[in-house]
Amino acid sequence: MNRFVCWSVMLCCLAVTTTLVAQEEELKRLAGHWEVVELVEDGKVIPKQAIPEWLPSGGHLDTEDNAIVIRSHEDNKKQVRVFSIDATPYPHTITITDTSKEQTRGIYKFDDNRLVVCLSDTGEKAPGAFSAKEGSRRMLMVLQAAKP
């Protein structure tokens, strides 16, 4: 019995370590400068040339560790959002917390060199699929790595 408990504890420790390593690798993949190249909000396809005016960040953001940094395209004011991920389920989940502690939940995946993110409205549960149909109150973004 004692050997069984010992093996069980070792397997649990190994599983936790593997999960933490996967999270770290995923955070490394998310790090960098990103540009929104496709955007659908609540069923409305936003033309690429309109994305800079549609999003407060002008369609650009930087991620490092667990932070998203955006700069307003109007006054260059910097805003930071904290995020957490769970890379164990598919699709992977992301939770973004703003300065007032409100949370936006979403899912994400990598598609070649692009990052696809689908976000629900603030306070709602994460979407189950990568879609932003009319009435869903979701935002679907495709981001591409860009030079700062």
Side-chain angles (χ1 to χ4, degrees), residues 18-19 35 46 53 56 79 84-86 92 94 126 129 133 140:
T18 303
T19 300
E35 177 183 3
I46 310 304
E53 294 300 319
Q79 297 177 19
S84 62
I85 59 169
D86 185 352
H92 304 316
I94 184 168
K133 296 176 185 173
L140 180 65

Side-chain angles (χ1 to χ4, degrees), residues 8-20:
S8 296
V9 169
M10 286 176 42
L11 287 174
C12 286
C13 289
L14 181 60
V16 168
T17 302
T18 303
T19 300
L20 291 175

Side-chain angles (χ1 to χ4, degrees), residues 62-121:
D62 294 294
T63 59
E64 185 176 336
D65 297 326
N66 286 81
I68 300 170
V69 179
I70 60 173
R71 290 195 179 273
S72 169
H73 66 281
E74 294 175 353
D75 61 6
N76 206 31
K77 188 176 179 180
K78 183 168 70 169
Q79 297 177 19
V80 178
R81 305 284 187 265
V82 176
F83 72 93
S84 62
I85 59 169
D86 185 352
T88 52
Y90 184 83
H92 304 316
T93 61
I94 184 168
T95 302
I96 303 168
T97 306
D98 66 17
T99 54
S100 63
K101 305 290 186 224
E102 292 201 21
Q103 293 186 327
T104 301
R105 291 174 179 79
I107 54 177
Y108 74 94
K109 67 179 179 179
F110 288 96
D111 184 18
D112 292 327
N113 64 340
R114 292 178 166 207
L115 173 62
V116 181
V117 180
C118 186
L119 300 171
S120 291
D121 205 15

